[in-house]
Amino acid sequence: MKKPVVDYRQFRFSRINEPRFRHLKLLLGWVVYFLLYVLTENLIPQEACHPMHCILDDWIPFCEYFAVFYVFWYVLVVGSLLYYLLYDPESFSKLQTFIMVTQAIAMTAYILYPSRQDLRPEVFARDNIFSRTMAFIYSFDTNTGVCPSLHVAYSLGIVSVFSKDRKVPGWWKVFVAVMAVMISFSTAFVKQHSMVDVLAALPVGLAAEWFVYGKSYWKPKWKKTAP
């Protein structure tokens, strides 16, 4: 097993501003996000939310088996952040910043233009572990605050950071990209999101990409070489 590049056993809150630990301050973004999530979920009534729907939603059936990909998203997010926290703090900072940018844009959208989706099935056609999983998720994750989809936006950030990592093997980059696509589709197949939410997440991801990598990554690659 690889040895972490930072010995977090030496961490104390008094050392948070030291160069080796200061990237941990970015984790406070999750505290802000969850506070805003709780507030928007409880203070914005469902009747004030705009329903998200497009014709694609009518063509996509509910399929509980996509719960596998939907739930795997949680593993992918936590696993990716933990991996880079241990082995590449600079990439951790970029991924966490990417996530925070998408959170900021999404929460602003949820407040200024509250959204909901009315696509969830009233009754599950089959009773199995996958449908029970979705019933459990439905029980605590309301159908409001859906556009843009953060499932999709976070996935874009994870694909972005791994695709730029030269230390990561190509097969893993392909795996992550395929999983990101399947996760994005799963949000529509388990009726957690409208395809409107999925598509709306794409420009959000592009905005975060530009914010995080626009000056430090993409521009040097496209800059013309002096004659």
Side-chain angles (χ1 to χ4, degrees):
M1 185 174 178
K2 288 169 53 176
K3 183 180 179 181
V5 297
V6 177
D7 187 356
Y8 291 105
R9 293 173 298 180
Q10 299 178 13
F11 173 72
R12 305 292 184 274
F13 282 108
S14 60
R15 296 180 172 180
I16 192 70
N17 289 317
E18 292 182 11
R20 57 177 172 164
F21 294 130
R22 62 189 176 195
H23 58 278
L24 294 175
K25 291 189 287 186
L26 291 170
L27 291 172
L28 292 174
W30 288 101
V31 177
V32 175
Y33 167 71
F34 284 122
L35 285 174
L36 289 173
Y37 174 81
V38 171
L39 288 174
T40 55
E41 287 288 298
N42 289 279
L43 297 181
I44 300 178
Q46 190 176 78
E47 55 270 20
C49 298
H50 304 271
M52 298 292 106
H53 180 268
C54 69
I55 192 171
L56 291 175
D57 299 324
D58 299 328
W59 296 345
I60 299 174
F62 173 81
C63 181
E64 72 271 22
Y65 302 116
F66 275 86
V68 173
F69 299 105
Y70 189 84
V71 172
F72 181 71
W73 174 83
Y74 296 97
V75 178
L76 187 62
V77 172
V78 174
S80 300
L81 286 171
L82 183 59
Y83 171 81
Y84 282 115
L85 184 66
L86 294 175
Y87 303 118
D88 189 345
E90 183 178 354
S91 292
F92 165 82
S93 298
K94 292 184 181 300
L95 175 57
Q96 178 59 23
T97 302
F98 190 110
I99 289 174
M100 289 169 60
V101 171
T102 63
Q103 289 172 338
I105 296 174
M107 295 309 300
T108 301
Y110 299 162
I111 293 170
L112 298 181
Y113 191 81
S115 56
R116 74 171 195 266
Q117 53 86 4
D118 302 320
L119 304 169
R120 294 178 176 180
E122 296 182 4
V123 189
F124 294 117
R126 292 172 291 275
D127 180 22
N128 53 42
I129 188 172
F130 306 106
S131 59
R132 287 181 212 147
T133 297
M134 290 316 305
F136 173 69
I137 292 174
Y138 287 176
S139 69
F140 67 83
D141 190 5
T142 71
N143 65 330
T144 61
V146 294
C147 185
S149 166
L150 285 176
H151 250 67
V152 177
Y154 291 6
S155 298
L156 292 173
I158 293 170
V159 171
S160 178
V161 71
F162 277 117
S163 68
K164 298 176 179 64
D165 190 342
R166 295 182 179 180
K167 301 183 296 295
V168 173
W171 68 265
W172 177 254
K173 296 179 181 182
V174 172
F175 173 77
V176 170
V178 171
M179 286 300 101
V181 172
M182 296 306 296
I183 287 167
S184 299
F185 280 121
S186 76
T187 64
F189 276 96
V190 299
K191 300 303 178 183
Q192 279 289 82
H193 285 283
S194 163
M195 282 300 295
V196 175
D197 312 332
V198 174
L199 296 174
L202 300 181
V204 173
L206 287 175
E209 178 76 14
W210 178 87
F211 184 88
V212 176
Y213 298 105
K215 295 180 180 180
S216 63
Y217 186 82
W218 294 111
K219 285 187 179 180
K221 292 183 177 297
W222 289 100
K223 187 177 180 180
K224 293 183 179 179
T225 307

